[in-house]
DNA sequence: AAAAAAC
């Protein structure tokens, strides 16, 4: 470490930290870093950059907010800055699980690389392929891609990965969650075996460890704990509400809190849309983001939100991990996430860089189990909060709900919480759901329609239906909702049938239902292959 | 249960 730097730093700080110039990066790059306003590397940058420059593989355990992106982007740029790429033969590849993350990495690349003559291609779905093809033809130093589009372009012969000697697999745990691993394995198999691989994951579950072993050679393991831990900088709270009060409760929370900017997470895309419209109608400055939206809209909304032109962003878990939005004051969980880890990722969007953050969760009686899982994972109960003017949820109801065995889907329980509350007084147990005659007819119908087929899937056939053999033979005709013909999933309890046939809706051709014979034994298979050779 | 990712 340079004496000059240490002396300068000690004037200002008690503990002098080494600057970026001590890590072995080239001059042009250092200029870019300085102009971007960065002076001191974060722990993961300080550890990883020299290792990557040495050409070693890295196994990084780190989350977003730790400066992870720069820890691989910077040394990669330094390594690549020596030479130029050939047409269609990119020299490095960064894989990201979502398009937003890919874009974010690309932005980093541009930001630091001002004084370098490197180019990159952002290969993501939802955007025109022509432009991406044109860039590939010019020769690309860094590919930043989501797996789907990369494979698509590869299969069309637009990319050769034989010269791709640096590979980054980012957010590996998320790739695993999302089922991308087969794609990633295929992509890795197209790269030269002699390469440098950098592998990042927020967690080191056994499956992730196995993947790392498969992709990496003698990696240097680098672990960095979260900059902002849940315990210290994020104020959390959970508000018990009835489902019909959720939107009102959220509005009250947002109004009550000093919300500078906030992400609001929903479990379902559909609910993102609904909540977005509702908040907009109530005059909030709000945008929405989920994976079914047009790509241009996704990026535009995110940029607006980052630029503080929108106060609230209602989103699905597409935004739960990785997306780096500085200085979020709040995170609201409109729904308790299905997976407890997602809670940690969601609320990790706030309270970053030592700033104070707030994370509030709405929880209905049906969500108690999920909330329990969250509290078990974080090892801390989330403080209960109350709001004026809302039906408070009785603790007994909650305790009962927590003990209740999990039911398929949203369950039978009346979704209108008021009725639920009334029912509790009469000591209604969960399996004694309100009888049909207690409910207004039209409503019953609407609910049935809304629940749709996933309900039946979970519960098997309904009491009102004809015995199974009759249904099987019934002519297929539309008989209306209340007396509907059998559906595909009704047959699932027949043990000679395999999994339901996909893609035919309710009218599966009969031949599709013929059971598939048991797989051949080994020697049979050998015979079959010799037959095939003879033919 | 749901979300993400290719056309």
């Amino acid at each position: 470490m340079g004496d000059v730097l240490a002396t300068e730093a000690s004037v200002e700080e008690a503990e002098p930290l080494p600057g970026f110039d001590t890590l072995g990066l080239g001059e042009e790059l250092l200029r870019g870093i300085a102009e971007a306003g960065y002076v001191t590397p974060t722990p993961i940058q300080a550890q990883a950059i020299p290792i990557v420059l040495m050409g070693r593989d890295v196994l990084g355990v780190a989350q977003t907010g730790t400066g992870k992106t720069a820890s691989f982007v910077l040394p990669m740029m330094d390594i690549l800055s020596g030479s130029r790429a050939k047409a269609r033969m990119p020299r490095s590849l960064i894989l990201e699980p979502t398009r937003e993350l890919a874009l974010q990495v690309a932005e980093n690349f541009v930001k630091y690389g001002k004084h370098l003559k490197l180019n990159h291609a952002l290969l993501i779905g939802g955007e025109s392929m022509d432009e991406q093809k044109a860039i590939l033809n010019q020769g690309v130093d860094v590919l930043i891609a989501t797996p789907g589009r990369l494979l698509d372009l590869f299969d069309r012969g637009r990319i050769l990965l034989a010269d791709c000697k640096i590979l980054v697999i980012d957010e590996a745990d998320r790739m695993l969650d999302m089922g991308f691993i087969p794609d990633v394995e295929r992509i890795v198999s197209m790269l030269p075996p002699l390469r440098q691989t950098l592998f990042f994951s927020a967690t080191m579950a056994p499956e992730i460890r196995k993947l790392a072993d498969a992709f990496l050679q003698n990696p240097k393991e680098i672990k960095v704990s979260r900059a902002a831990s849940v315990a210290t900088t994020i104020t959390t709270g959970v508000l018990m509400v009835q489902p019909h009060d959720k939107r009102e409760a959220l509005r009250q929370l947002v109004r009550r809190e000093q919300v500078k900017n906030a992400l609001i997470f929903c479990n379902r895309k559909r609910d993102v849309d609904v909540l977005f419209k509702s908040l907009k109608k109530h005059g909030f400055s709000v945008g929405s983001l989920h994976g079914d939206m047009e790509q241009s809209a996704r990026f535009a909304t995110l940029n607006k939100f980052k630029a503080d032109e929108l106060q609230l962003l209602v989103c699905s878990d597409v935004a739960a991990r990785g997306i780096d939005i500085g200085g979020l004051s709040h995170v609201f969980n409109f729904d308790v996430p299905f997976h407890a880890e997602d809670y940690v990722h969601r609320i990790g969007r706030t309270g970053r860089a030592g700033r104070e953050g707030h994370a509030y969760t709405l929880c209905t009686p049906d969500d108690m189990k999920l909330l329990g899982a969250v509290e078990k994972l974080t090892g801390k109960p989330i403080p209960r909060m109350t709001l004026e003017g809302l039906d408070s949820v009785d603790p007994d109801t909650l305790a009962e709900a927590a003990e209740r065995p999990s039911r398929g889907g949203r369950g039978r329980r009346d979704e209108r919480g008021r009725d639920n509350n009334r029912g509790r007084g009469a000591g209604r147990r969960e399996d004694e759901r309100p009888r049909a005659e207690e409910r207004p007819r039209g409503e019953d119908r609407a609910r049935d329609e809304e629940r749709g087929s996933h309900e039946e899937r979970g519960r098997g056939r309904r009491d009102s239906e004809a015995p199974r053999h009759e249904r099987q033979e019934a002519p297929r005709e539309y008989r209306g909702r209340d007396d509907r013909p059998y559906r595909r999933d009704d047959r699932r309890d027949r043990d000679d049938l395999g999994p339901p046939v996909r893609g035919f809706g309710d009218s599966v051709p009969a031949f599709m239902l013929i059971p598939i014979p048991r797989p051949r034994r080994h020697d049979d298979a050998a015979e079959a292959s010799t037959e095939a050779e003879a033919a």
Side-chain angles (χ1 to χ4, degrees), chain A residues 26-32 74 76-86 91-92 109-121 135 138-142:
Chain A
E27 205 182 306
E28 289 92 350
L29 198 50
L30 286 173
R31 257 205 290 159
L74 292 175
M76 276 175 78
M77 292 171 81
D78 195 276
I79 293 169
L80 295 168
S81 63
S83 48
R84 294 276 294 138
K86 299 184 206 93
R91 298 195 291 155
S92 65
F109 184 86
V110 173
K111 185 165 68 178
Y112 302 126
K114 253 191 184 168
H115 305 290
L116 296 174
K117 289 189 196 72
L118 294 174
N119 60 353
H120 74 279
I135 298 171
Q138 288 162 27
V140 169
D141 300 297
V142 184

Side-chain angles (χ1 to χ4, degrees), chain A residues 206-409:
Chain A
E207 305 99 301
I208 301 284
R209 174 74 59 180
K210 246 172 78 184
L211 274 177
D213 286 344
F215 295 151
L216 298 166
Q217 281 182 33
N218 184 30
K220 169 81 179 167
E221 196 167 326
I222 297 172
K223 256 190 199 152
V224 175
S225 56
R226 270 202 85 78
S229 89
V230 174
T232 54
T233 52
I234 304 175
T235 310
T236 60
V238 62
L239 185 67
M240 298 299 166
V241 286
Q242 295 296 355
H244 65 279
D245 281 336
K246 276 180 134 182
R247 289 196 290 269
E248 167 67 20
L250 180 76
R251 288 196 297 273
Q252 285 196 33
L253 269 179
V254 173
R255 290 196 183 109
R256 194 186 73 172
E257 293 282 318
Q258 310 267 310
V259 176
K260 182 182 156 271
N261 48 7
L263 288 178
I264 303 169
F265 286 101
C266 297
N267 284 357
R268 300 171 185 80
K269 289 181 279 203
R270 208 188 71 186
D271 295 333
V272 170
D273 294 334
V274 172
L275 182 60
F276 165 68
K277 282 189 192 118
S278 160
L279 286 168
K280 202 166 175 75
K281 211 172 78 188
H282 280 86
F284 288 92
S285 161
V286 61
S288 64
L289 185 69
H290 64 66
D292 280 354
M293 293 167 49
E294 190 101 4
Q295 191 54 53
S296 52
R298 279 168 69 166
F299 285 161
T301 303
L302 196 60
N303 283 335
K304 268 189 177 173
F305 185 68
K306 283 182 177 174
D308 281 332
E309 288 165 38
L310 294 170
Q311 184 198 18
L312 307 174
L313 184 61
V314 185
C315 55
S316 68
D317 277 317
V318 67
R321 300 199 204 185
I323 291 183
D324 196 18
I325 305 165
L328 274 190
S329 71
H330 288 71
V331 164
F332 296 100
N333 289 310
F334 189 72
D335 300 307
V336 184
F338 289 124
H339 292 300
E341 321 88 77
D342 288 333
Y343 176 83
V344 181
H345 289 117
R346 287 179 180 185
I347 75 166
R349 303 298 105 214
T350 185
R352 299 271 289 277
R355 255 174 293 200
E356 206 182 317
H358 307 264
Y360 300 122
T361 301
L362 301 183
C363 179
T364 67
D366 276 355
D367 296 333
M368 279 310 285
K369 267 198 110 111
L370 297 174
L371 188 72
V374 168
E375 292 183 321
K376 198 179 161 203
L377 181 80
T378 58
K380 267 187 103 175
I382 305 170
R384 273 35 176 184
M385 324 191 298
T386 48
L387 277 183
E388 305 267 325
L390 290 182
D391 283 0
S392 63
V393 179
D394 189 280
D396 292 345
T397 317
L398 295 180
E400 190 190 311
E403 282 165 26
R404 185 194 311 159
S406 77
R407 291 157 293 115

